Amino acid sequence: MKLAQVQLAAYEKLLYADSRPCSRSQKIGTLQRRWNHHVLQNTRPFRLGVIGSGPAGFYTAYRVMTRNENAVVDMFEQLPAPYGLVRYGVAPDHPEVKKCQDKFAEIAGSPRFNFIGNIDIGKDLPLSLLKPHYDAILFAYGASQDRKLGLPGEDSLQGIYSARAFVGWYNGLPQYKNLAPDLDSGEEAIVIGQGNVALDVARTLLSNVDKLRKTDIAEQALDTLSKSRVKTVRVVGRRGPLQASFTIKEVRELLTLPGVGFTPIDTSLFPQDVAQLPRTQKRLTQLLFKGSSMPATSHPSKSWSLDFLLSPQSFNPKPDSTTDLSGSLNSINFSRNALRGAASEHLSPSASVVGTNEQITLPASLAFRSIGYESLPIPGMYTDMDLHSGLPPDPDFLVPFDTNRGTIPNDPYGRVLAPFPFNPNQNQNLAQSASHIAPALPNDPHKRSINPSHSTSNSRSDDKVKQPQRHVPGLYCAGWVKRGPTGVIASTMEDAFATAEAMIQDWESGDVDFLSTTTKEGTDVPRGWDALGPIAKNRGLRAVSWRDWLRIDEAEKERGRARGKDREKFRSVEDMLAVLD
């Protein structure tokens, strides 16, 4: 008996051993799909397109390429430079955090990996154009926008900045090269939010500029910081110290800044018995208590504080402003909060607050909003707002995005789910487009539940309509666009690995449809960038390869050496591309 016949017989045995109720025609269809998929696996590479070149994209690509020796990965990035938040979001004085770039460079050096920079998917190339050229697409493009407070004057008063924009500015992100924050307008700054990004902003404002000169901080940022008049920084949060999201490392760095004093925290905010706290909470609380008990720095030139249980209510302009919402920032009104519930509930990291009638006004010439990031849909995605407006989706390529959560709907393993909670009678096309998936295999450790209350990592219990959600064939997500803007690089790595494992398991099972298996008959085998490259060139697009990036990388390092630092980044796309001319 020929090998193919033996393999086919094995598939038949597996198929008919399946006790799930289904018709003979359904079983025959499943057998045919598995056999076709088996042929695909053994005759050509697995083609994966990755949108986003940050940690989530690279770690997923690494695991996929490791688990499948035939996998070929094309990674798309809108900028000519890779690494995403590692390059443009990690603080300049944290070079150890950027060490993961070495691993990413190793991945990119594989002949089975293609970096395609300076291509903005959704804008330069339509999202739907990728479908016929890949078996699967991974969305790993992170969070490109920060959340707003929604307070009057937030967008009109001078001196109010997004922490994300400020961090991007001093890290050389082209998007914010013209930010030009006015750091010499006054001595008091307030950072609203108590995560690590908020502490990065505070540390940058308070650090000795000469220490920053040795980092890869942008030169124009050094010039601006050297002229800064800021002497006091308040880091304000609406809850208590046990609910703050900053970590021990960031607090310790601020507490040990030379010549910078720390305003003691009200001891009533600490629990009487710190020993009862979980290990991480206990260590952080002990550090804050110790910092509050330390002798005051003699004659500090600058100072900082952690102010808890305060919610911003309004931004106030200087008295000489022509209108209430123009001019420069002068102060911020806050309302005091109280932790809700009994004292034992105050120990929970998820404890909530209730407002009080007490108001407080704090002086500020500068304010930085640092209350979190959010992902945005790529043009061409189908959002929940489109669903409610009745806008018909593309039944051949449905890529959902939930604007309420700022994530792509997915199961716990990064499989993109569709539809949103919906009524199939109202949108038959949407129901049909989400039906391209067979039930999970028996003994599948990553078995998918089709109940939205069980299957999604970002599900809600208050959805009005409970309908089955199915995996959109060939679509996966990882990182912040999968789970929301939380966690550090290590947690992103774990998250990416989980998505990669699900993807490879689906591919090897033969029981799950991919983009290639749902493409109409008669089309060519997916060829990835080999097919898309000429299309991009005909559209007048200039793609940056990994070899191109290495030339840009070396040019930045040369610029840095001339200044006694590791690198000096190019602050515009045009300057990066000029290196290649």
Side-chain angles (χ1 to χ4, degrees), residues 14 34 44 71 98 187 192 299 305 323 420 528 552 571:
L14 175 63
R34 288 187 181 182
R44 64 169 180 80
K98 302 183 182 184
E187 297 183 351
I192 300 174
H299 307 295
S305 65
T323 67
F420 303 96
I552 296 171
R571 293 191 296 123

Side-chain angles (χ1 to χ4, degrees), residues 115-414:
F115 174 73
I116 304 143
N118 201 40
I119 299 293
D120 191 352
I121 298 298
K123 180 181 178 182
D124 296 332
L125 291 178
L127 186 57
S128 59
L129 192 60
L130 272 61
K131 180 188 176 184
H133 303 293
Y134 293 97
D135 295 299
I137 295 174
L138 173 77
F139 297 95
Y141 58 87
S144 60
Q145 181 171 288
D146 67 304
R147 294 173 55 197
K148 290 192 173 184
L149 294 163
L151 298 178
E154 183 175 359
D155 295 322
S156 57
L157 286 176
Q158 299 174 27
I160 302 174
Y161 303 96
S162 151
R164 181 185 186 277
F166 185 66
V167 171
W169 167 75
Y170 66 60
N171 271 322
L173 181 60
Q175 180 182 354
Y176 298 115
K177 64 178 181 179
N178 297 321
L179 183 68
D182 185 5
L183 304 185
D184 62 353
S185 59
E187 297 183 351
E188 298 93 1
I190 292 179
V191 184
I192 300 174
Q194 292 184 328
N196 283 341
V197 174
L199 296 197
D200 285 346
V201 170
R203 191 177 65 257
T204 301
L205 291 171
L206 296 170
S207 291
N208 185 317
V209 176
D210 288 335
K211 293 291 184 66
L212 294 175
R213 293 187 192 280
K214 301 176 183 178
T215 72
D216 66 354
I217 191 171
E219 279 295 311
Q220 92 280 4
L222 283 173
D223 183 59
T224 302
L225 287 167
S226 66
K227 302 172 184 177
S228 171
R229 293 177 54 204
V230 175
K231 292 185 177 181
T232 302
V233 179
R234 293 178 179 268
V235 184
V236 182
R238 62 185 180 87
R239 298 192 294 170
L242 297 183
Q243 291 78 45
S245 56
F246 48 64
T247 55
I248 293 172
K249 179 179 184 292
E250 277 67 25
V251 174
R252 184 182 291 114
E253 287 177 331
L254 271 166
L255 288 173
T256 56
L257 277 181
V260 178
F262 177 61
T263 303
I265 300 171
D266 183 354
T267 55
S268 66
L269 295 175
F270 297 118
Q272 293 183 349
D273 186 7
V274 177
Q276 66 179 307
L277 297 173
R279 182 174 182 272
T280 300
Q281 263 190 312
K282 179 172 66 176
R283 291 180 60 211
L284 181 57
T285 302
Q286 289 172 337
L287 178 62
L288 293 175
F289 190 84
K290 180 181 178 181
S292 299
S293 306
M294 290 172 59
T297 303
S298 59
H299 307 295
S301 58
K302 299 177 181 179
S303 67
W304 73 289
S305 65
L306 289 168
D307 298 78
F308 300 100
L309 299 173
L310 294 175
S311 290
Q313 299 299 312
S314 63
F315 294 103
N316 307 316
K318 291 182 177 179
D320 58 354
S321 298
T322 55
T323 67
D324 290 340
L325 297 179
S326 67
S328 301
L329 178 68
N330 186 58
S331 63
I332 306 176
N333 292 338
F334 292 88
S335 63
R336 287 198 181 277
N337 300 325
L339 289 168
R340 193 189 302 271
S344 59
E345 298 177 67
H346 300 172
L347 304 180
S348 171
S350 59
S352 59
V353 296
V354 59
T356 69
N357 293 325
E358 185 178 354
Q359 302 287 316
I360 181 175
T361 300
L362 297 177
S365 55
L366 285 168
F368 297 89
R369 176 184 64 242
S370 185
I371 58 172
Y373 297 168
E374 61 183 6
S375 300
L376 297 175
I378 292 175
M381 285 183 168
Y382 189 74
T383 71
D384 48 332
M385 298 182 68
D386 295 331
L387 177 66
H388 296 314
S389 67
L391 184 67
D394 179 355
D396 293 325
F397 192 50
L398 175 66
V399 186
F401 188 91
D402 189 334
T403 57
N404 184 38
R405 300 182 183 90
T407 58
I408 295 174
N410 64 93
D411 74 1
Y413 305 100

Side-chain angles (χ1 to χ4, degrees), residues 30 56 81 114 264 269 274 313 367 440 463 469 477 494 517 555:
T30 300
N114 299 307
L269 295 175
V274 177
Q313 299 299 312
D463 289 328
Q469 291 180 295
C477 57
E494 294 176 2
T517 55

